[in-house]
Amino acid sequence: MTALATGGAAPPTVGPRRPALRRYAPALAGYAVVATVLLVADTPVAALARWTGYAVLAVLLPGTLVFRALRRRPHTLVEDLAMGAAVGLVLELAAWAACTALGVPGWLRLWPLAVLVPFAAVPRLRRHWRVRYPAVAPTGWAWSLTGVVAGFTLYLYGSFLAVTPVLPTDEGQAQYIDLAFQLSLAGAATHQVPLDVPQAAGEPLHYHWFGFAHLAATSLVSGVDLPTVFFRLGVPALCALAAVLVAVVGWRISGRPYAGVAAAALMFTVGEFGFENGWRQLFGSQATFIVWGSPSMTYSWVLLLPLVAALGELVGRARGVTVPALGRGAWVLVVLFLAASTGAKASSLPVVLAALAFTAAVALVVRRRLPRAVLVAAGLAVAAQFFATAVLFAFESHGVTVDPFSGLRPYVPAGRSAGVTALVWVLVAVAFLLNLQLRLAGAVALLRSRRWRLEPVQVFLLGGALAGPAVYLLVGHPGSSNQYFTRTGFAFGVLLSAWGWAEVADRADLSARGRRLLGAGAAGFAVLLTAVQLSSATSTPATQAYAPVLPLLCWATALAVLALVVGLYWPVLVARWPALAGRGGLLLLTAVLVAGAPGLVMDAAATRTYPNGGAYPVVAMPASRVEAARWVYAHSDPDDVLATNVHCRAVVDGWCDARSFWLSGYAERSVLVEGWAFAPRMVGRPEGPYAPFWDAARQRANDAAFTAPTAAGLAALRDRYGVRWLVVDRRVGTESPTLRTLADLRHDTGRMAVYRLR
């Protein structure tokens, strides 16, 4: 917010041409920061260089050429590159599917030629190689966006990169529980389409796996090994692209450059509002941790944001916006991004559909007609949702059920009087809004200033912003995955909120000195809040259901009292400093939006107390297991199936916690029976991760290969299931001595052993 305030609310979009070095300095500085952080996090220099070449030549270049051919007129170089990168990811996905289905994933490196050759050979397309732009990104806008990207990358370093090695370094290594599972999906995508469940060979994976296909394609094209892509390069790159997309989409939709970069700050600098008191996951999430705990969320944002831009053109542009329209190419972009969103994240399309339905409903009430473009767009979204539900997800619910307010219910104690229960429900609902929606306060300012008479595109953004938390409150999930609907709604909400902030800033009409003071004040307020939150962090055990939300409500009350006191003394302050007259609303709104700034700092700081992924569930990831898995990867074929004697994260009272994914993750191979808890058919079972495997005969045959092997049994595993390798962890169970006479021992480190079937 400091950079935003000092840059001004709405500078002209056309400025004088600057020397090339100055013009590209923000982008170069941003890349330098990200690259430096990655190198400090032990990313090999060669891997970074290879990935950079892949990003430029195999995503950015072909995607930008196609985007230029689709949009009507150019606007800015940064928009062409950001939107082009998103288009490039969609084209990459199609190329990956084709090459993998044909059994030639190695040919994927050649896919950019399918774009580059026509654009070099066809005269009508050749003009898109060199474009003159009527607008130049303002210097303050560019450096502000660079600050957002740099700051968020530093957060990723503190919360993820610094505490999660590419390969474990000792036997005591722990890791966030989902990461090995996600790595296994990316590993499967290097040679499968559609994907099977890596932990149960042959079981169809009815899931949103497109983001992991992107990671697989990154590795295949760049030549960088998949763990380095997954644990180092992929997440920071997607986050940086998403931040830039928020900024350019906000600029395009609102016509205000600083509305776009303010939206990027709200999404990637301001975290959740909530003062730390030992509880890390209020309402299913904490800060923006989800970007590394679930890379598919960030991947879905990268596709959703340009989809919002294209749909914003179709539902009705705002009056006075001078950004050139996309033209008919907007329809092609809508189709491309809807298609890619079907398997990017299951939360994307429902929120888009709800936003379009809300837009249509408002148009029907206000204008007494349904816009044709909105109806056609909604029809396309319905078709995409049906494809996702029927084909990709096979009508699997993944544990999602209609369960209103299930995300709030854990904080409401049972057995109290009706009055007390109602009061607690109200307070918990307020805490939910403060915790997750405070950064959208600018939308309220926009509604108030426009007296509820919004432009169609603003109605569309409001619909998406409301739909996200509404779906979260409507449905339930045993793993709190309904939180992803709220995250999807952020992509709409921050654009609307920043638009409101920019309009309030316009009306305040600050001088250059006033903007600098506002920026300094916002930064000081953020630092003060962060210092208070760091100093007050405790780990007090919860004695009441509502205890986790009490610190948040108490601090919100304290800040509200502070705002009230300032409001009472405002006339005195205006009399002392007349320049404050008419600027109180801007100061208040800026303070409200900045209130969540400590969120990311607190999330990263949690690693001091809760290493290896913060306070989130972790699983043991001993280096010896990973070494054995990587040995198998290096000596096996992609279609080989593995068998192992490790199925459980832990055994509790005789029940197996079947969340073990290390072998399929690091070997990048399918396993006959590993940990089955995340298989779609198992998610949502009442037993949770302790539900038994659905094919008892297969599990018995798997386990007998280690405890009571026979020549016939091993031959059946080989011929029926395609098993070629047996991987043993002797701390879980020592293999039978007979196994050495029936299979070849190829790798032995004492704890771990790998056999090849004959």
Side-chain angles (χ1 to χ4, degrees):
M1 296 300 291
T2 304
L4 301 183
T6 57
T13 60
V14 180
R17 295 284 173 179
R18 300 184 298 275
L21 183 59
R22 288 181 57 193
R23 197 158 62 242
Y24 301 128
L28 294 174
Y31 175 81
V33 170
V34 175
T36 300
V37 168
L38 289 172
L39 293 174
V40 170
D42 296 325
T43 305
V45 175
L48 180 60
R50 284 175 172 269
W51 181 90
T52 302
Y54 148 80
V56 173
L57 300 177
V59 176
L60 198 62
L61 180 57
T64 299
L65 290 173
V66 172
F67 176 71
R68 285 173 173 174
L70 291 175
R71 53 115 172 94
R72 178 183 296 168
R73 287 184 294 159
H75 177 222
T76 63
L77 175 61
V78 66
E79 179 181 85
D80 272 10
L81 294 178
M83 297 286 283
V87 171
L89 291 178
V90 178
L91 299 177
E92 174 193 74
L93 185 64
W96 163 84
C99 292
T100 308
L102 293 173
V104 287
W107 289 11
L108 186 60
R109 293 183 179 181
L110 303 178
W111 87 261
L113 295 177
V115 174
L116 303 183
V117 171
F119 273 81
V122 179
R124 291 188 61 184
L125 296 177
R126 202 177 296 149
R127 62 188 176 88
H128 296 299
W129 286 89
R130 191 175 183 87
V131 176
R132 290 186 61 85
Y133 295 97
V136 176
T139 302
W141 184 93
W143 282 110
S144 298
L145 183 56
T146 298
V148 171
V149 171
F152 196 79
T153 303
L154 291 173
Y155 156 72
L156 288 175
Y157 178 81
S159 63
F160 174 54
L161 300 174
V163 295
T164 309
V166 174
L167 299 176
T169 56
D170 56 58
E171 294 298 280
Q173 185 70 51
Q175 188 182 91
Y176 173 57
I177 195 168
D178 287 4
L179 293 180
F181 172 73
Q182 294 161 356
L183 178 62
S184 74
L185 300 186
T190 59
H191 55 275
Q192 285 183 0
V193 60
L195 272 60
D196 291 339
V197 176
Q199 296 78 31
E203 174 75 2
L205 180 67
H206 304 305
Y207 190 67
H208 45 247
W209 45 262
F210 285 7
F212 303 104
H214 156 65
L215 296 174
T218 300
S219 178
L220 291 170
V221 176
S222 68
V224 179
D225 64 289
L226 188 59
T228 299
V229 170
F230 184 85
F231 288 107
R232 287 297 178 268
L233 299 167
V235 172
L238 287 174
C239 289
L241 176 56
V244 177
L245 279 167
V246 175
V248 300
V249 171
W251 183 352
R252 163 163 288 279
I253 285 180
S254 69
R256 301 164 180 270
Y258 285 90
V261 78
L266 290 176
M267 194 151 179
F268 288 99
T269 301
V270 177
E272 268 70 89
F273 173 78
F275 279 72
E276 171 69 19
N277 197 27
W279 293 283
R280 302 299 305 150
Q281 295 195 51
L282 289 178
F283 309 110
S285 64
Q286 169 61 26
T288 316
F289 121 89
I290 212 67
V291 300
W292 61 262
S294 179
S296 58
M297 185 75 253
T298 315
Y299 181 77
S300 71
W301 279 335
V302 168
L303 303 174
L304 177 62
L305 288 160
L307 176 59
V308 169
L311 288 172
E313 296 270 325
L314 301 180
V315 302
R317 286 161 56 89
R319 288 169 293 182
V321 172
T322 59
V323 176
L326 291 172
R328 294 180 180 178
W331 286 106
V332 180
L333 292 172
V334 165
V335 172
L336 286 176
F337 290 118
L338 279 175
S341 294
T342 56
K345 197 73 174 176
S347 58
S348 289
L349 291 181
V351 174
V352 170
L353 264 172
L356 289 170
F358 184 80
T359 306
V362 171
L364 184 61
V365 171
V366 175
R367 302 181 182 181
R368 300 294 191 271
R369 66 181 181 86
L370 289 172
R372 181 181 301 177
V374 175
L375 292 179
V376 175
L380 293 172
V382 168
Q385 181 64 69
F386 179 78
F387 172 82
T389 303
V391 178
L392 295 178
F393 306 146
F395 299 100
E396 292 275 2
S397 68
H398 292 270
V400 176
T401 58
V402 177
D403 188 7
F405 304 108
S406 60
L408 309 187
R409 195 178 302 126
Y411 304 102
V412 180
R416 302 298 180 93
S417 66
V420 171
T421 300
L423 176 61
V424 173
W425 268 109
V426 170
L427 292 176
V428 170
V430 170
F432 166 74
L433 293 175
L434 291 172
N435 180 235
L436 289 171
Q437 303 298 315
L438 191 62
R439 72 178 83 182
L440 308 188
V444 178
L446 185 68
L447 286 167
R448 182 175 177 273
S449 67
R450 291 185 175 241
R451 300 181 181 179
W452 296 83
R453 297 171 184 171
L454 298 181
E455 306 272 4
V457 65
Q458 294 171 334
V459 173
F460 172 65
L461 295 177
L462 180 61
L466 293 174
V471 177
Y472 168 84
L473 294 174
L474 177 64
V475 304
H477 188 272
S480 299
S481 289
N482 51 342
Q483 66 170 296
Y484 295 119
F485 293 103
T486 304
R487 299 282 168 191
T488 301
F490 281 169
F492 296 80
V494 295
L495 295 171
L496 195 65
S497 182
W499 198 339
W501 179 84
E503 289 200 356
V504 172
D506 275 356
R507 289 195 301 273
D509 192 24
L510 293 177
S511 63
R513 181 172 180 271
R515 294 195 296 268
R516 288 193 293 270
L517 289 174
L518 177 63
F525 186 55
V527 170
L528 177 62
L529 290 179
T530 303
V532 171
Q533 199 160 339
L534 285 169
S535 63
S536 64
T538 62
S539 298
T540 306
T543 57
Q544 299 290 341
Y546 51 76
V549 303
L550 286 180
L552 183 153
L553 292 172
C554 289
W555 280 105
T557 301
L559 293 176
V561 170
L562 176 62
L564 180 61
V565 170
V566 172
L568 291 174
Y569 282 92
W570 189 249
V572 177
L573 296 175
V574 171
R576 175 65 178 83
W577 294 287
L580 293 176
R583 276 82 184 249
L586 176 61
L587 295 178
L588 177 61
L589 179 58
T590 301
V592 170
L593 295 177
V594 168
L600 298 184
V601 178
M602 296 304 301
D603 200 47
T607 57
R608 296 179 304 180
T609 306
Y610 306 100
N612 305 304
Y616 315 108
V618 296
V619 64
M621 195 59 64
S624 57
R625 281 186 174 180
V626 174
E627 179 190 357
R630 296 307 291 170
W631 187 94
V632 172
Y633 166 74
H635 294 83
S636 62
D637 294 327
D639 292 333
D640 287 354
V641 177
L642 319 179
T644 182
N645 67 333
V646 182
H647 310 304
C648 312
R649 175 194 181 200
V651 177
V652 181
D653 296 331
W655 291 89
C656 173
D657 179 350
R659 291 181 288 180
S660 177
F661 316 116
W662 61 273
L663 181 56
S664 55
Y666 285 94
E668 301 176 33
R669 302 289 183 261
S670 294
V671 182
L672 184 63
V673 182
E674 196 182 5
W676 54 83
F678 284 2
R681 70 162 75 196
M682 305 303 290
V683 178
R685 291 275 295 271
E687 304 98 322
Y690 299 99
F693 187 62
W694 61 85
D695 189 340
R698 183 199 288 196
Q699 187 175 358
R700 284 195 299 269
N702 178 96
D703 294 347
F706 300 95
T707 59
T710 64
L714 295 181
L717 286 184
R718 182 191 63 222
D719 299 336
R720 181 178 180 183
Y721 298 111
V723 174
R724 293 292 181 271
W725 302 87
L726 306 180
V727 183
V728 185
D729 185 337
R730 290 171 176 147
R731 291 192 184 180
V732 173
T734 304
E735 74 273 26
S736 167
T738 306
L739 186 59
R740 293 194 179 213
T741 67
L742 301 174
D744 299 327
L745 180 62
R746 299 288 298 275
H747 180 75
D748 191 340
T749 62
R751 172 175 177 171
M752 305 299 300
V754 179
Y755 291 84
R756 180 174 173 82
L757 297 186
R758 296 169 182 167

